[in-house]
Amino acid sequence: MTNINAAVDRPRARWLPSRHHFALARLIACARLRSAMRASGPATDHIVLAIDPDQTAAEMNGVALWVFLTAACYFAALLPWTLPLSLVGGMLLAAIALHLPFLIGGALIRALTGDGDHIRIISLLTMSLMTIASSWIATTTTWARFAAWLFLAVLFVNGLAAIITWVLRRWIAALEEQCVR
């Protein structure tokens, strides 16, 4: 990651890997940045892009929606009602359940560690609970096992992308430096 906070008049900077939070998105951005840098042409756009991994709304909202819909599938599969009613109930239960790590975990973490930004810890707690739930649902015979296997597959692919981006970290940093210069 670069130590630069913004890129001015560099349209290619929208593909900087350091502007993305998740490893898979960083790896895709790296490939897009490399292809954008090969393309010739003047930078005519007058833009300022923040170099902050939490600024990618599509990525963050996409992951939030994915986690929410996966949890809704799990709850819907456990409810004894017909599928349409179970889906509605699953969405309501998922909305409540996904906020519990923030409320309970946040209060507990704050009591143990004091004031501060605990987003990483709460995110780790939420993803750990989703991984445990996915591992259990994947072993059942319900229709939600497909959502569980998809969740676990995406988690695995993101883990592979994290390993690849870690191995290529110096090359990626050099590519980013070249882009923002």
Side-chain angles (χ1 to χ4, degrees):
M1 282 196 199
T2 65
N3 291 330
I4 300 166
N5 293 329
V8 179
D9 290 341
R10 302 275 191 227
R12 294 178 188 136
R14 71 176 37 98
W15 299 115
L16 289 176
S18 57
R19 292 190 74 230
H20 298 277
H21 189 81
F22 297 99
L24 186 56
R26 284 194 306 264
L27 196 58
I28 292 168
C30 184
R32 295 289 307 258
L33 176 61
R34 185 163 179 189
S35 67
M37 289 180 75
R38 282 190 201 144
S40 62
T44 58
D45 293 346
H46 295 291
I47 58 172
V48 176
L49 295 168
I51 313 275
D52 181 2
D54 295 326
Q55 292 293 317
T56 52
E59 178 186 0
M60 293 299 187
N61 291 330
V63 170
L65 183 63
W66 166 58
V67 169
F68 173 74
L69 291 176
T70 302
C73 285
Y74 297 167
F75 283 113
L78 297 174
L79 292 174
W81 308 320
T82 62
L83 188 58
L85 192 56
S86 290
L87 287 173
V88 171
M91 285 186 195
L92 292 173
L93 289 172
I96 294 167
L98 288 174
H99 282 84
L100 289 179
F102 291 105
L103 298 174
I104 297 169
L108 181 63
I109 291 167
R110 184 168 182 182
L112 294 174
T113 63
D115 248 351
D117 184 12
H118 306 308
I119 294 173
R120 283 183 181 249
I121 297 170
I122 297 298
S123 297
L124 180 66
L125 178 63
T126 302
M127 290 305 277
S128 296
L129 291 172
M130 284 297 295
T131 303
I132 291 167
S134 297
S135 299
W136 178 69
I137 295 287
T139 63
T140 66
T141 57
T142 66
W143 57 270
R145 73 181 180 275
F146 300 111
W149 282 110
L150 178 64
F151 183 88
L152 294 171
V154 170
L155 217 55
F156 178 75
V157 169
N158 192 62
L160 285 178
I163 292 168
I164 293 168
T165 55
W166 182 81
V167 169
L168 298 175
R169 69 189 179 277
R170 288 186 181 95
W171 179 77
I172 291 171
L175 191 64
E176 286 187 339
E177 267 315 305
Q178 185 181 357
C179 176
V180 295
R181 253 191 270 148

